[in-house]
Amino acid sequence: MKAYFVSDIHIKHEDKTKGLKLMELLKALPQDTTHLILLGDIFDLWIGSHDYFVKKFNKIITELKSLSDRGIEIHYFEGNHDIHLKKFWQDELGIHVHTDEYYFNLDGLVVRAEHGDLMNKEDKGYLFLRKALRTFPMNFLTTQLPGRLVEAIGDRSSRVSRFYTDRQDQAYKEKVKTLTQNYAQEVYKEKPFDLIITGHTHVDDDFSFEVKGRKARSINLGSWLDHPKALIVSKEEQKFIEL
């Protein structure tokens, strides 16, 4: 089994750099690919099954559907920029959608995957907002909004999000890495794994630890705002490829 993981691409337009890079990756996936894992915030905004998004990102949707038809198992994890995905992505396209963590078994390699926006338990404001945005009334409301208003909301939310995630000073990076590593060790106690893969923070990290003689590894994918990349995971190796 061979899985490709990508996260935090934040595509605004499919015909511009990040959208084109994703299309290059999708078209170049080798025949031995068994899984494609979209770990959240693939688009800068996607809410529900609004026609605005379906039309705007039609080429990417078509390519993903083609890969699914080819037999590649695709999983899409909701992030904080892409929510209420099940009606379109799962019910219509047949792509597996997850709102929380999910465990994969790749030839005996146990992989826990999640977007990563639940790592900071002290961020009460975000956790409340996350819960509120995933209510049925909010989903219904957003699917009824005109496309232009949806776009305006997306631009506004992206600017707010960038305030928190675009900080690149070393002190901030070290704080985020510590948070990621502590979280990995904490959730390992709930259910052991060989590898945990997260995104969300835009700070890439690779950390190994050991619990009672069993080795485990935590990888945060960073974001495509720095440089596009994908993580290839198989039982034999886990490595990044630059795009």
Side-chain angles (χ1 to χ4, degrees):
M1 291 183 177
K2 180 184 289 185
Y4 282 72
F5 287 76
V6 293
S7 177
D8 296 88
I9 305 176
H10 291 280
I11 299 170
K12 288 187 177 182
H13 305 283
E14 64 178 7
D15 290 324
K16 294 190 177 179
T17 304
K18 288 179 288 188
L20 294 174
K21 282 292 183 182
L22 177 60
M23 287 292 287
E24 284 181 21
L25 173 65
L26 298 180
K27 290 179 179 294
L29 288 180
Q31 288 298 317
D32 61 350
T33 303
T34 57
H35 296 72
L36 173 63
I37 316 299
L38 309 173
L39 213 56
D41 288 0
I42 303 304
F43 304 99
D44 212 42
L45 183 70
W46 185 298
I47 304 175
S49 55
H50 201 296
D51 287 345
Y52 169 79
F53 302 111
V54 177
K55 293 176 181 178
K56 185 175 183 179
F57 302 112
N58 182 257
K59 293 179 183 178
I60 293 174
I61 293 168
T62 299
E63 189 61 35
L64 287 169
K65 184 64 168 64
S66 176
L67 292 173
S68 179
D69 291 343
R70 197 177 101 186
I72 294 178
E73 191 174 301
I74 303 177
H75 294 255
Y76 195 160
F77 287 73
E78 290 192 354
N80 48 303
H81 287 252
D82 34 19
I83 59 176
H84 297 295
L85 302 180
K86 284 191 175 181
K87 183 176 180 181
F88 178 74
W89 289 91
Q90 183 165 294
D91 296 348
E92 294 189 31
L93 296 186
I95 290 172
H96 305 279
V97 170
H98 308 282
T99 56
D100 297 300
E101 77 280 356
Y102 186 80
Y103 289 81
F104 296 91
N105 190 318
L106 303 177
D107 294 327
L109 183 77
V110 179
V111 181
R112 172 174 170 142
E114 58 188 284
H115 178 59
D117 57 336
L118 293 175
M119 289 193 292
N120 188 357
K121 301 302 182 183
E122 300 304 314
D123 191 352
K124 305 298 185 183
Y126 171 74
L127 295 176
F128 174 81
L129 178 62
R130 184 185 191 273
K131 187 175 181 179
L133 289 174
R134 282 167 169 77
T135 60
F136 175 78
M138 185 62 70
N139 181 27
F140 177 79
L141 175 63
T142 53
T143 57
Q144 306 307 309
L145 295 176
R148 287 186 179 181
L149 182 55
V150 170
E151 186 172 35
I153 294 172
D155 289 340
R156 172 62 179 169
S157 64
S158 293
R159 287 196 296 271
V160 173
S161 177
R162 296 287 179 271
F163 177 78
Y164 294 98
T165 56
D166 283 0
R167 293 178 57 189
Q168 294 298 320
D169 59 277
Q170 193 59 35
Y172 173 75
K173 287 183 178 181
E174 291 305 319
K175 181 178 179 180
V176 170
K177 287 183 178 182
T178 299
L179 173 70
T180 303
Q181 294 168 13
N182 288 343
Y183 179 78
Q185 293 174 87
E186 188 62 32
V187 296
Y188 182 92
K189 299 173 185 176
E190 300 173 6
K191 184 177 179 180
F193 49 78
D194 299 302
L195 174 65
I196 179 173
I197 304 175
T198 55
H200 179 63
T201 66
H202 295 190
V203 177
D204 53 350
D205 186 47
D206 192 341
F207 170 68
S208 296
F209 60 98
E210 190 171 315
V211 179
K212 296 181 179 179
R214 178 174 175 176
K215 295 180 180 180
R217 187 178 178 188
S218 165
I219 296 178
N220 190 287
L221 301 177
S223 81
W224 283 31
L225 301 176
D226 300 320
H227 47 273
K229 58 187 177 298
L231 178 68
I232 305 176
V233 176
S234 67
K235 186 175 183 179
E236 291 73 28
E237 64 175 352
Q238 300 88 48
K239 65 178 182 179
F240 278 103
I241 56 169
E242 303 288 338
L243 304 176

